[in-house]
Amino acid sequence: MDEVDRIIISTLGELGCPVDDVTSLSDFTVALVIEGTVRCLTAIIPDFNCSMVLPNQLAKQFRVGQQLANSCVSLGYRGEIGYQTFLYANLIEWRRVFVFLIESLPKAAYRAGGDSSASEQALLQRRIMKALQASVQEFDCPPVNYLPVFSDSKMKFHRSTGAHRTIPLTLPNPDSDSYFHKVLLPPLCLQQYNPGALYWNPWCASCLEYLSSQKAAQLEQEYLQLHNTSKHGYDTQTRRKEMFTQKLAEGLRHGMMATKHENQNNDISNSLSDILTSFQSDGAPLRGNESIFQATEKFHFSQTKPLAPSVPQLGASKPVEDSRKQREQLREELTEKLALISQKIASLELEISRVKMSIGPTREQLMLQLQKNAENKELIRSKKRVLELVAGSHEEGLENAAKLEEVVRTMLARIQLDSEKWEVQRLELYEEIRGLRDTMNTSKDELERETRQLHELKEKMRDCAEENQVKDATLVQLREEYENVNKDTQRSSYTNRIMEILANIRKQKKEIEKVLSDMRQLQKEINQLEGKVGRIYSLADEKIFKAARKDESLRDLYKNLVTLHSTFGNITNTIEQTGSTERYIKDLEDQIDDEKAKEVSTNLKSMQKDYQLLVQENEEMQKKVAAK
Amino acid sequence: MSQLVAIGLIEKDTEDIIEFTWAYPTMDKSIKELLVRKCPPSNLSESNQYLLPYVFSHGEGFWYYMLASKFNNKEYSGYVTDICFTILSKDFHPEKYYDILQALLQTFLFSNSVVTVLKSYLSLFAKKSLDIIGTDKVLNISSYDPRKAFIACPLKPLILQFGIESILLYNAMLLKCRVVVYSSELEALLAFTRTLPLLALHRQNWSIVFPYVDLVDYELTSLKEQPNYVAGFLDSSVENRIDLYDIFVNISSSTITIPEHAKSRFSLSKAHKEIAKLMMEVANDTGKSDQQAIKEINLKTKEMITNLKNLSIQEDGTPGMISYEILKQRKFTATMSNFLFALATVEGLTQL
C-alpha cells in the first residue's frame, strides 16, 4: 500500500498538484483529491474543463463531484462511483480511483513531467534554434565601412574613405589561351590595384557590381528570349536596340508633352526619328546618311536664313506651285506605266497558262520518243551483232549460226549446273539462317526471363537494404532512448519486488493447497469413521436386540448402547456447531473491519450536516426568488 | 520472249518473316523490297487469308505478277510455310502470266527444286512455250493475244455502277487526267483500274495503269513523274492527298470527287451530254455484248476527234493546228471551246 501511495503521490506531483507535505494517502484532503482528479482527467481527456478548486456552494460541489464521476465512468472505471466518492469517500475508494486514473494517463503526460532537466535543455535548444533561424533569414550586408584587405597574405579590416568606386575586374580564367590569364594572374583579392591606395578597397563593390551586371544580362536575355517573336527574326542585339529606342522615344514624347513645345505637330509619331526631327526648327531631315560636314553645313545655312528675310518670302509661293505640277506629272506617268505593266502581266499570264497546257503532251511525246529510242537502240544492237555474224559468205554464216547455237547450249548447260549447285547451297544456308534465328529467339526469351529475374532480385535486395537501414535507425534510436531512460533504478527494484511477491504468492498458494488437501483428507476420514460407526452400531444393535429378546439382562446393555450412540452423536453435532459458529464469528469480524475502514459513520454525520445546510440554502434561495 | 525480265521466289517462314530467297537473272534490291511488300503473304486479311492469291501491278517500268500458295514440304525446308513466285515483265497480260505462274508453281511443287522452275522459265524464253507437268499440255505464248488482255474485264458493269457520273471518268481518260481509285478490296481495285483505259481505247495505252500502289515515298515519287495515270490504292487516306489526283474514285461507295484545282477541266458541255447518253444506252442494252459497247463508245470518240481535226483545214486540204481563234469562229460556248481546246492539246493538235 505504501508503494502504491508513493506512486500516486509522485505522479500527482508531476502533474502539478501541491503534494509536497503529503506522505501517504491518509493525509489527503477532499480539496487535494479533487484537484488531483481534475489534473488527471485534463491530462487524459483533451477537452476536459473543470476548476481545480472546489466551489463553496454545496450544490456546485455536488455537481463537480458528479461531473468527475461521470468522466471516470466514461473512461471505463468499473465499480461504484459518484459524487460521494470524491466528497465523502474513504481511503480505499480514493486509492482505487487514483490507481485507475494514473493507469489511464497517456505516456506523454509522464514524459512531459518526466525529467525536468531534459525539458529545460530542450527549451533552451529550441530557443537557440529560433534565434539562429531569424538571424540567417535577415540579409545582413557586411558593413561597407569595414572591408577586408589582403596585405602580406593576411586579412585586415580597414575603413574605406567613403564613396564606393568600382574598377573593372581581371578574373583569372583557367580555360583561356593566354598564359597570363591561366597561370600568372593571382586571385582577385591578392591583385593589388594601386599599392598606394591600400585604404581604398574596391573589391567588394567591384565584385558586387560585376556579379549584378552579369545577373542583369542573364535576366535580360531570358526576358528577350521569352518575348522574341519568330516572325521578326531579330537577334537579341537588334531587339535590344528596338526596345531601347522605343523606350527613349516614349520618354522624350512624355517630356515634350510636358513642356508643350511650340513648333511641334499635333500628332506625334512614336518613332524616335520623327520625334527628333520635330525638335529641329526648320523640319530638316535627320542626319542619316549625310556626313558630319554636310550636316553642319546645313546647320550653318539654316542659321543664316533669318539674315535675308525679305527675298525668300516673295519667291516662296512660286516654287510650291512648280513642285505641285511636277508631282502631278509624275503621278500621271506612273499610272500610265502601271497600266502598261499590268497589261503585260495579263498577257504573260495567258501565255503561261497556254504553255502549261502544252507541257503535258510535249512531255508525253518526249517520253514516248525516249522509249522508242531505247527500243530502237536495242534492235540496232542485236541486228548489228547478227549482221556481223552473217557478214561473210553463206557457209560462214551457217557456221557462225551453228557456233552460236553451241554457245547457247553450253551456256544453258552451265546455267543449269550452276543453278543446281547454288540451289543446294541456298537451301543449306537458308535452313541455317532460320535455325539460327530460332535459337536466337529462344535465347532472347531466356535472356529476357533472366533479366526480369535479375531485376526482381535487385528490387528485393533494395527493399531488404532499405528495411535494414530503417531497422538500424530504429535500433540506434531505441538504444538512445534506453540509455536516456535507464537513469532511475527504481524500476528494477520494483520489478524485483514484484517477482518476490509473485514467489510469495506461489508459496502461499502451495501452502493453501496443502491445507486444503489435508482438510479434504480429514473430511474423508471423518466420513469413513461416521460410516463405520453407523454400520457397527446397526450390527451391534441387531445382535444385541436379538440377544436381548432371549436374555433379559442384555436389555440394559442395549439401552446403554443406544444412549452411548445418541450422546456421542450429540457431542459430534455440538462440535460441528461450535466450528461453524466460530467461522461465522470470524466472517463478521472481517466485515466489521471493512465497514470500519469505510468510515461510514463520519461520512453520514457530515452528509447529514451538509443536507441540513442544503435545505437551509434552498429555503434562502426560495425566499430570494419569492422576494423578486 | 523479249518481254520477260526476271523471275523470283519469295518465302515466308514460321517466324512470319518474308524474304526474297531466289531470283533469276537478278533483281534490284529496291524492286525486291517492293515485291516483298506487295506479295500476298505480306498482305493477309483479318482471318489470316491472302487478300488475293494472284496479284499484279505496275511500277519502276515493269509489270509484276505474283502467285502465292501455301507450302508444307519438310523435305524442302522445315520452316517455310508459304511461297510466292513472281515474274517481272514489260507487257501487260494478267491472264497469260497467271497461266505461266500456275505452271511454274506446279513444277516446283512436283520437283521441290527451283532448278526445274528455272528450266521451264528458260524454255519459255527460248522456245516461247512451256510444258505443263502432270499433263501433256503445252503452254504457248503465242496463243495469248495482247489485245484480249485489254478487254478481259468488262466495261458495262463499270458504267452501270457509276451511272451518269461515268461521263466524268470518260472525260478524265480523254483529257489525260490523273485518276486515283480507292477500294477496300484488292480484286475490285485490280479489275477497275484495268478497265478504265477502255474509255479511251483509241490510244490503247495501258502503261498508264498502276493497279496497286501503296502510299510509300518510293512508289509515289515514280508515280508523280508520270503526267497522267490511273492509280489504285487500298489505303483510304489517299483521299487526303489532293496533290496526287485530278479526280478521285471510291469504288466501295461508288462516289467520284473532283478537287478544286481540277474543276476547270471537268466542266461538262453538250458533247459530254451526248456521249453520256450513248454510254448509258449502251450499258443498259442487254442485247449488246461488252465488246460491242466498247466499240460504239470508241467510234464516237474517234468521230469527235476527226471533227475536231476538220475544224482547221489548211489550204492543201490537210488538217492543221487548232487554236482559240478557230474555235471562236465556230461560235461554240465557252465550256465547249475549253473542252475542245483541251482535247486538241492532248491529241497534239494545238500549236502555241
Side-chain angles (χ1 to χ4, degrees), chain A residues 63 72 157 164 323 360 371 380 440 555 563 577:
Chain A
R63 239 181 270 151
C72 291
F157 283 92
H164 306 290
S323 63
Q371 248 184 338
I380 287 168
M440 194 179 79
R555 273 186 207 165
T563 45
Q577 275 180 13

Side-chain angles (χ1 to χ4, degrees), chain A residues 357 364 416 426 431 437, chain B residues 19 76-77 119 176 341:
Chain A
M357 286 230 301
E364 247 195 70
Q416 198 152 332
R426 186 183 73 91
E431 285 295 299
R437 252 188 233 149
Chain B
E19 290 175 305
Y76 177 75
S77 163
K119 242 198 212 169
K176 292 195 180 172
F341 188 72

Side-chain angles (χ1 to χ4, degrees), chain A residues 354-355 357-358 361 363-364 367 412 415-416 419-420 422-423 426-427 430-431 434-435 437-438 441, chain B residues 11 13 15 17 19-22 24 76-80 114-115 118-119 122 176 225 341 345:
Chain A
R354 274 194 207 155
V355 169
M357 286 230 301
S358 61
R363 212 195 279 178
E364 247 195 70
M367 275 173 62
L412 278 172
I415 286 172
Q416 198 152 332
S419 63
E420 276 169 18
W422 168 238
E423 184 62 18
R426 186 183 73 91
L427 285 174
Y430 268 104
E431 285 295 299
R434 282 159 182 160
R437 252 188 233 149
D438 259 344
N441 283 335
Chain B
E11 287 173 5
D13 66 12
E15 301 289 324
I17 298 173
E19 290 175 305
F20 208 107
T21 53
W22 175 79
Y24 178 81
Y76 177 75
S77 163
Y79 296 96
V80 175
V114 192
V115 184
L118 179 63
K119 242 198 212 169
L122 288 172
K176 292 195 180 172
E225 282 166 17
F341 188 72
T345 326

